[in-house]
Amino acid sequence: MSEEDKKRSLVFAVNGERFELPSVNPSITLLEFLRTQTRFKSVKLSCGEGGCGACVVLLSKYDPVQDKVEDYNVSSCLTLLCSINGCSITTSEGLGNSKSGFHPIHQRFTGFHASQCGFCTPGMCVSLFSTLVNAEKTNRSDPPTGFSKMTVSEAEKAIAGNLCRCTGYRPIADACKSFAADVDIEDLGFNSFWSKEDNKEIKLNRLPLYNPSDEICTFPEFLKKENNSAMSLDSERYNWYFPGNIEELQNLLNVHDSKWTEKKLVVGNTGTGYYKEIESYDRYIDLKYIPELSMIRMHETGIEIGAAVTISKAIEALKEENRSDFLTRDENVFRKISNHMEKIASGFIRNTASVGGNLVMAQRKHFPSDLATLLLAVDSTVEIMSGPRREKITLEEFLERPPLEINSVLLSINIPNWSSNRKPSQQDNTMLLFESYRAAPRPLGNALPYLNAAFLAEVTPSNTSGRIMVKHCRLVFGAYGTRHAIRATRVEQFLSGKTLNNEVLYIAVKLVRDSVVPEDGTVSPAYRSSLAVGYLFEFFSPFIDTRDKAIDGFLDESKRTSLASPFKSAENQDQFHLNNIPALLSSAKQDIEFSRENYPVGEPISKSGASLQASGEAIYVDDIPSPTNCLHGAFIYSTKPLARVKSISLEPKQQLDGIVGVISSRDIPEAGENLGSKSIFGGELLFANDLTDGAGQRIALVVADSQKHADIAAKLAVVDYGLEDQEPPILSVEEAVRRSSFYEVPPFLYPKQVGDVSKGMAEADHKIISAKFKLDSQYYFYMETQTALAVPDEDNCMVVYSSCQCPEFAHSVIAKCLGIPEHNVRVITKRVGGGFGGKALKAIPVATACALAAHKLNRPVRMYLDRKTDMIMAGGRHPMRITYNVGFKSDGKITALELEILVDAGMSVDVSAILPKNILATLKKYDFGALSFDIKVCKTNNPSRSAMRAPGEVQGSYIAEAVIEHIASFLSLEVDSVRSRNLHTYNSLSLFYEQSAGEVLEYTLPSIWDNLAISSSFNQRTQTVKEFNRSNRWRKRGISRVPIVYQVTMRPTPGKVIILRDGSVAVEVGGMELGQGLWTKVKQMAAFALASIHCEGTENLLDKVRVIQGDTLSVIQGGFTAGSTTSEASCAAVKLCCDILVERLTPLKERLEQQMGPIKWEMLVFQGHTQAVNMAASTLYVPDLPAMQYINYGAAVSEAKVNLLTGETTILQVDMIYDCGQSLNPAVDLGQIEGAFVQGIGFFMLEEYLLNSDGLVISEGTWTYKIPSLDTIPKQFNVKIMNSGHHKNRVLSSKASGEPPLLLAVSVHSAARDAIKEARAQLLSWSGSVDKSSSIFNLDVPATMPVVKELCGLDNVECYLEWSLGKK
């Protein structure tokens, strides 16, 4: 290659290393390149949509003219590689690592216990680093030593777009805030740097030092010297074009060449996160370097923004403070637009997404855009180019035109200055109002809105009435299920010239309801229309009667005062000039009791491997380098239930590169079985035979030379179904009952009835008969999707690397499928990037399919499921339908409960037969007097459900709470009093939990219940909530206290310990590291147990212990890592091994001490090896009967606030006490407690795992499935870990923490219900009714915004206005 050609090559840097690519496919993403062609694996693929942050990197660009480097974080899964020519990329490995030293970010993430499974952690670290780097570029004053110029608010927002399924976010937020200049260090949570009693100075000194001047160089000098302009790239070689001006762009667009059949205009490529593109393009035209498209011009008539300007740059421009005087009157409008724009997607998307791209998607593809709504409200105009013709039109006209053709380009957007044409005099009292709104599952963005709105109005005092008159208004609504944002022109025309009063507003909201009508097929259409009404009401109602004593809830007192005389100081109305942006989270308390009796067991040490996880050096299955000749697989799945598969064809063939073959049930060896997974209850097919059992079932596996090619081929596969002569599928539990379609539950697993229900019903003063409700499913959303790598070995053997919670089961299934002995199979699991039950049986078909393909093709085969396929196949939590009868006394004491529960298990049994036992184990948490039940596990053609964190237990606990809530509403009693009245005594506990009640001292729930009331100020806050509700009309609060009683079972678990010649120790256990800290507890136990030999140096054994990966030919009988008890069972197994080793070494130690005096650990071990002492021990821990089952106790108080206009629920505070026994590691257990609780918030409040009419999952990615994020967790989260220590049958008196706290999240649901009850009572009062039935209602799970709003009244604004008009 000539020097000239080299100059025109694709050149960039990654972590300071130079990369030059002579050729590359222009469709390759930065993520794909980093993961397949570099050693940098910290950048993870999780969603592939830009919706989770796992793939975030720092992108740095150098401007040689200004000699400045611009740094910003981007989503590498959407960033095309050719677009980074001349740029520098920094990943988490580039910040620091185990060899050169960890960065303070890595150290603080580790010390604040902010990493569990660790899959999301590198992306979190880079997001924080980006914020730190940019904070240092501000002109703020220098921070104290060890801190940055970043603020607490910026620290929280730094990771607001990053998702985590493990931690519950609180420790991550603390790690980030620890760098902020304005942080109060006393507000930071539990960590390994200091103790609670340390003073502030000690705390500051113990934080790993952060020195901005030592920060890494994000843009290497060699790249500056090369100064490769992005536009110097050889366009013909890379099929990537950089037009430098409009004329060049026109020429490229007008080329008519057979080679140019498909071309794509590119700025940030973020649109592919929403509109998944599988087609390839012949030419890519990058618009970023056309000056006219990248400029921002401020002029007297407004602000002009080029179409290629990123949303982040537009936000900066609109917020810019030091503008010319002529824009000051409109700063309020511009600032409010920019504030709203900060809720679009997340920072790492806004940094590359363009303003023009967003609007073109809205115009061409009807994308639910916030920008279109905002800019339409302020009467923006756009300039478009079609061929040689350029024209300026209104945005409204642009949106209403037919979809823009590929040869047409949006050039710029002009946001007008509304004051420019009018010079206000002192007598001119006209005021310009602007507000924007969005209702979305996440307040900070990273979620599409149900509806957005923006209103601009000019108002003035009426000369006659003294009221406010609307001179002119623009009212825009969007994203509600319409093709594009629209103006409510009928409402505008009606309001113009009107003096505001309730009657006018009532007619206006009626007109809005008629105008905002979602199209057919839109989810929650009535809810979206009610949002439009609520927002219009919120905008105008403060101007109707500012003397109203009842605070409207959406007005704070300062704003109310200003509105009382709104025209005295119109220029001071901007509420957004405030520099102090409030933090998302307030301080939280972690009260942790721990004992040093068994040191280092019980110490809150940081999670093993957390620093490696933060730096990205921790290896997950997909990080293992591909062996030579490795192939990749992708599943083809059924989209129809009970359909005959006639044929599968890969179409259109001309687009499919690198396809090697298609594997199906026909390729299973003659001696093998069509088996995908197996439990004691039955098996699941690897591939459907001729007839599919349900939508989402695996039909075949496409094998190709890359994961990308395999995924594309699978998506383009055409399956020909035959539906003739088939019975209709069973898609509901009701239909399953009608057709007697059930799975068998073994009698030993079916729980026993308690007491005499007939007698209990006869004793009741009141009865509720045939009450019904339903519970829906939940998806695991582990950050690492299902993945495996199978490598053929000599002599017909197979080595499989699997991200699996039960490798032993995978081992057995693979052997059966291939028809080979089990000694020919080896399954290795190092760590799992989140499991929650979803990586148990559901991981096995992935490993088995890879093994089958590798066996047939005699080449390594790996697979990493894309998020959509994973969600469709995962199954998730079991949906249920519940019917109950309950008898109770007038004081709320329950005398009998009868239940009928229908469980939808789906198309295969999996582990569903355990559900009846698990449901009853937690449902019995109250003394129901007598309890009978009929639980049917239904076989349907829906997705096969599996165990998910607290499977059955979370539903059982909720059923108990639903019954209690219903009784309290029926009797008009405080629900807390009904709960308290039905708590178990020790005697009733022993009746309901015969096998596991334990000793009376172990029953700690009564003391937890009482202590929580005191520590949370429950009674005082209950009164405060009532006061708030009396004085707030459109916001209501609720508070709830809820207990849990959670029975767990210990299982046999293997362990193996070897002591090596240098004194280091390797430990292997049957339990897998999923992020729950199993390895950490096992390390502590090994160090503790070996220290009982009492040598010199044994007090520091912890650093000598390493826990190694699971290997099914090394440690057998590993079983499931599930049920919350695997950590303690693994610890018990390791202690047994260590006790054996100590017993072997003790005689040698005594002999050596007689000869040499005190002896060091290393010398003892060396002598042991020399003198043929067996230095390896393995055991199988089998719990004895008294230790087999035990009960966990805890309670939580949650306080929530509900917005009656939108249905949004804000969790204000959570206080929890949880009995951990004598915790093996309080830091690990705290992480489990908080993480489980937040996952429970997802189940109860947010996550909708929906199916279509064929039973196919349609919640298939981050756009449609919303797990909790930083902005949806409790504002204040206080946790006390109680160290009861009364459990001598436990492993060192410890108790489980992984699953039970999830059940306590029902307290949030109950608090929301409490607030809704107040809203319904208020609604009833407006109608003049005294009907008490409004307090009896079902609040669905999840209690999403539409669900909550419907119960608060979809027409509550109209009802209020009617009442108000009638009253007057």
Side-chain angles (χ1 to χ4, degrees), residues 1 5-24 28 30-41 81-82 84-91 93-94 219-220 222-223 226 228 233 237-238:
M1 186 181 291
D5 283 342
K6 279 189 175 183
K7 285 183 182 176
R8 302 189 66 196
S9 289
L10 178 60
V11 176
F12 54 91
V14 180
N15 297 331
E17 290 185 25
R18 185 179 186 277
F19 286 84
E20 180 176 337
L21 305 183
S23 65
V24 68
I28 191 174
L30 174 57
L31 173 73
E32 193 179 344
F33 172 78
L34 290 171
R35 291 199 58 76
T36 60
Q37 297 183 46
T38 78
R39 68 179 193 281
F40 303 116
K41 306 292 188 180
L81 190 63
C82 287
I84 67 160
N85 191 36
C87 298
S88 175
I89 300 298
T90 306
T91 71
E93 294 107 323
F219 201 94
F222 70 78
L223 209 53
E226 290 190 36
N228 237 21
L233 195 68
R237 196 179 352 146
Y238 295 94

Side-chain angles (χ1 to χ4, degrees), residues 739-878:
R739 288 160 65 175
S740 298
S741 178
F742 307 116
Y743 292 111
E744 182 183 351
V745 177
F748 74 91
L749 278 176
Y750 198 82
K752 290 195 293 187
Q753 320 278 332
V754 181
D756 185 340
V757 168
S758 299
K759 183 183 174 190
M761 282 293 188
E763 292 171 354
D765 297 333
H766 309 278
K767 294 173 189 172
I768 295 170
I769 304 298
S770 294
K772 298 177 189 292
F773 63 92
K774 66 183 176 67
L775 289 168
D776 289 332
S777 186
Q778 183 183 21
Y779 169 61
Y780 308 97
F781 216 106
Y782 27 63
M783 295 302 290
E784 170 203 49
T785 59
Q786 302 283 10
T787 180
L789 164 64
V791 183
D793 203 356
E794 64 181 20
D795 197 21
N796 205 25
C797 291
M798 187 66 64
V799 179
V800 180
Y801 300 87
S802 173
S803 181
C804 185
Q805 291 177 240
C806 49
E808 177 198 351
F809 285 75
H811 182 126
S812 176
V813 169
I814 290 166
K816 282 187 170 67
C817 180
L818 301 185
I820 58 178
E822 287 196 19
H823 66 218
N824 283 28
V825 177
R826 187 180 185 191
V827 178
I828 295 171
T829 300
K830 185 158 194 169
R831 59 169 58 80
V832 176
F836 318 114
K839 299 273 182 72
L841 294 189
K842 291 297 182 183
I844 298 175
V846 178
T848 307
C850 287
L852 175 62
H855 182 79
K856 178 179 171 63
L857 300 169
N858 200 29
R859 290 172 66 177
V861 176
R862 75 187 316 160
M863 178 161 39
Y864 188 78
L865 264 58
D866 64 71
R867 182 62 68 179
K868 176 179 177 178
T869 304
D870 195 286
M871 292 191 76
I872 284 171
M873 293 185 175
R877 203 179 286 287
H878 291 77

Side-chain angles (χ1 to χ4, degrees), residues 108-109 112-115 124 128 150-160 162 164 167-180 183-184 187-190 583-588 590 1234 1269-1271 1273-1275 1277:
R108 294 194 193 183
F109 263 71
F112 278 98
H113 313 295
S115 182
M124 295 272 186
L128 174 59
M150 179 180 71
T151 66
V152 164
S153 176
E154 288 170 341
E156 290 177 333
K157 288 184 178 177
I159 45 105
N162 294 70
C164 172
T167 63
Y169 298 101
R170 195 274 313 157
I172 298 174
D174 279 348
C176 295
K177 289 191 284 189
S178 73
F179 289 89
V183 71
D184 183 343
D187 287 346
L188 298 177
F190 187 67
L584 283 173
L585 310 175
S586 56
S587 62
Q590 298 84 41
E1234 292 182 335
S1269 50
L1270 183 72
D1271 50 346
I1273 67 170
K1275 301 293 182 192
F1277 196 176

Side-chain angles (χ1 to χ4, degrees), residues 773 775-778 877-880 882 915 917-923 925 947-962 1042-1046 1236-1237 1239-1244 1299-1307 1341:
F773 63 92
L775 289 168
D776 289 332
S777 186
Q778 183 183 21
R877 203 179 286 287
H878 291 77
M880 297 178 190
I882 299 97
L915 264 289
K917 173 179 172 289
N918 288 12
I919 291 167
L920 263 294
T922 53
L923 190 148
K925 67 178 177 175
M948 181 173 179
R949 199 176 197 170
E953 287 101 342
V954 67
Q955 294 99 325
S957 187
Y958 176 79
I959 291 165
E961 295 305 333
V1042 169
I1044 53 161
V1045 176
Y1046 194 107
F1237 187 90
Q1239 197 169 76
I1241 290 172
F1243 175 63
F1244 286 113
E1299 293 172 298
L1302 186 146
L1303 278 57
L1304 288 172
V1306 73
S1307 59
V1341 174

